[in-house]
Amino acid sequence: MWQEIVVGIIVAVAALHAGRKYLPAAWRQQVVYALSRRGLSQDKLARFFNTESSCGSGCGSCGGCGDSPAPPAPPSDGGPARRVIMLNVQR
């Protein structure tokens, strides 16, 4: 009987670790949101699953749907916007 309990705990911890490490960020955010609705601490869950707190709840505090920062200004020297690496081919 104790063997089944220990094996069940090991399997649960392994599944939790795999979910924490390999799930896509959007799924991890949904897990944090679903567990926080059940009464668990959202800040602790967000830290554990490496997500931002409050994402997925629609409250807007995660900055996901707020104003996006302005794109960086192009270089003012009039040159190309991309850097070019010159290669010297020796034959």
Side-chain angles (χ1 to χ4, degrees):
M1 176 171 163
W2 285 102
Q3 288 179 342
E4 289 94 11
I5 293 173
V6 171
V7 169
I9 291 171
I10 291 172
V11 169
V13 169
L16 186 64
H17 174 71
R20 177 181 179 220
K21 187 166 181 140
Y22 297 113
L23 279 178
W27 289 12
R28 286 183 282 145
Q29 289 172 354
Q30 291 297 325
V31 167
V32 168
Y33 179 62
L35 291 176
S36 67
R37 284 189 292 169
R38 304 280 191 260
L40 298 172
S41 173
Q42 187 174 21
D43 294 330
K44 290 180 182 177
L45 287 170
R47 236 179 301 129
F48 180 76
F49 282 102
N50 296 328
T51 61
E52 293 181 8
S53 180
S54 302
C55 287
S57 65
C59 66
S61 65
C62 66
C65 51
D67 294 332
S68 61
S76 60
D77 63 352
R82 291 187 259 162
R83 298 183 88 186
V84 177
I85 299 174
M86 300 301 291
L87 299 175
N88 293 325
V89 180
Q90 297 178 356
R91 295 183 186 200

